[in-house]
Amino acid sequence: MKILVCIKQVGDSRDMNRFDTHALEEALLLKEQLNDEMVNPVLVDVVTAGPTGAEKIIRRAFGMGADRGTHIVTEDLNYVSSFVTATRLAAVAAKTPYDLILAGIMSEDMMAGQTGPMLAGILGLPCATGVIKTSRVFKDNVMEIEREMENGFRDKFSIRLPAVLTIQAGINTPRYPRLSNMLAANQKQIICMAQADLFPEQVQAGEICIGLEDPEKMRAGRILEGTLPDKAAQLFSFLRKKDLI
């Protein structure tokens, strides 16, 4: 069985996207579980699209237990269309017959939640989003999963592999990279591809970013001053005026 995990470098620290760490951990847990049941070993690959420094998160993935890593080297400095990212990832995913493709439900920076479903659409695979629980894979290549719905509801169903799952935070606790794995990670080769290696012509975005802006501050905090009884009286008065007590 082959599993591919899509990861992204985010933030000023340029670390792995938090939601992607949960996706990688879930892949590693499945690997450990299935290796006890299957004759052939389970392989976990990771892929990322980003600038040269993105190799950092592939090394971290190696430290956690990933087997192979692919880096699609890009020089994008500004907003990148989810469709463009999904197209790049699909080009790599299509080269290997993966049984399962995992990704975080969203990225911490854009929080669009579009790349996973678009990747599934490009590859023509079934997709489930917001997955909070996975089960073992049955003999007929069917996996039972649970996904998070609105208002606290859960949706439980079976999905036939190969498939794409986007993983919700809280499904597991990502492990820390082992020192021995991190030392070995520096010796592992990362497959690097330029966008030109995958696409003779530049991929055109399927959507347009009109603009980005910080959320408008709508409320201000209030600091209570004085002695403890004074603060308690002020708080009581405030809550009373708001009809909260």
Side-chain angles (χ1 to χ4, degrees), residues 30-47:
L30 287 170
K31 173 183 176 180
E32 293 167 353
Q33 173 189 346
L34 294 173
N35 271 341
D36 294 333
E37 304 174 4
M38 295 184 172
V39 176
N40 297 321
V42 177
L43 295 177
V44 174
D45 296 347
V46 295
V47 58

Side-chain angles (χ1 to χ4, degrees), residues 7-8 43 46 70 93 98 113 122 147 161 163 197 204 220 222:
I7 59 178
K8 182 181 181 181
L43 295 177
V46 295
T70 300
Y98 287 106
I122 294 170
R147 58 190 297 264
L161 305 184
D197 297 333
Q204 297 300 316
R222 177 178 175 182

Side-chain angles (χ1 to χ4, degrees), residues 201-218:
E201 299 181 3
Q202 186 173 358
V203 180
Q204 297 300 316
E207 71 277 16
I208 299 173
C209 176
I210 298 176
L212 298 173
E213 60 184 27
D214 293 329
E216 182 181 353
K217 185 177 180 180
M218 303 298 292

Side-chain angles (χ1 to χ4, degrees), residues 3-231:
I3 303 175
L4 177 66
V5 184
C6 305
I7 59 178
K8 182 181 181 181
Q9 188 180 54
V10 298
D12 295 335
S13 61
R14 313 308 294 165
D15 288 330
M16 190 188 306
N17 177 46
R18 178 170 61 89
F19 296 98
D20 296 342
T21 63
H22 290 282
L24 178 55
E25 177 64 25
E26 196 64 18
L28 297 173
L29 291 173
L30 287 170
K31 173 183 176 180
E32 293 167 353
Q33 173 189 346
L34 294 173
N35 271 341
D36 294 333
E37 304 174 4
M38 295 184 172
V39 176
N40 297 321
V42 177
L43 295 177
V44 174
D45 296 347
V46 295
V47 58
T48 190
T52 304
E55 289 187 4
K56 171 185 175 181
I57 62 172
I58 296 181
R59 299 291 180 193
R60 178 176 176 82
F62 287 159
M64 291 176 66
D67 299 295
R68 299 179 300 188
T70 300
H71 180 194
I72 306 170
V73 183
T74 68
E75 299 303 330
D76 302 310
L77 299 177
N78 299 311
Y79 168 80
V80 181
S81 157
S82 297
F83 178 77
V84 170
T85 300
T87 302
R88 291 167 174 170
L89 298 175
V92 172
K95 293 178 178 294
T96 302
Y98 287 106
D99 301 282
L100 185 62
I101 300 176
L102 303 180
I105 187 173
M106 67 180 75
S107 62
E108 293 179 79
D109 48 7
M110 300 307 300
M111 303 185 76
Q114 297 176 333
T115 302
M118 285 184 174
L119 173 61
I122 294 170
L123 295 174
L125 298 177
C127 177
T129 59
V131 175
I132 55 176
K133 185 178 181 180
T134 63
S135 73
R136 63 186 298 273
V137 180
F138 298 96
K139 292 182 179 179
D140 51 355
N141 269 1
V142 171
M143 172 183 282
E144 289 187 354
I145 64 170
E146 290 185 22
R147 58 190 297 264
E148 187 176 53
M149 307 292 287
E150 295 181 354
N151 299 322
F153 290 101
R154 293 188 176 189
D155 189 17
K156 183 176 181 180
F157 59 93
S158 299
I159 189 168
R160 187 174 298 277
L161 305 184
V164 178
L165 307 180
T166 68
I167 304 300
Q168 177 63 282
I171 187 174
N172 53 44
T173 302
R175 67 194 69 187
Y176 286 101
R178 295 179 180 177
L179 178 59
S180 58
N181 286 351
M182 290 302 297
L183 294 175
N186 294 325
Q187 306 302 319
K188 283 191 174 183
Q189 182 179 2
I190 297 175
I191 302 172
C192 293
M193 298 181 178
Q195 178 169 294
D197 297 333
L198 299 172
F199 308 101
E201 299 181 3
Q202 186 173 358
V203 180
Q204 297 300 316
E207 71 277 16
I208 299 173
C209 176
I210 298 176
L212 298 173
E213 60 184 27
D214 293 329
E216 182 181 353
K217 185 177 180 180
M218 303 298 292
R219 298 179 180 179
R222 177 178 175 182
I223 299 177
L224 303 179
E225 298 179 349
T227 64
L228 189 59
D230 291 338
K231 293 179 181 179

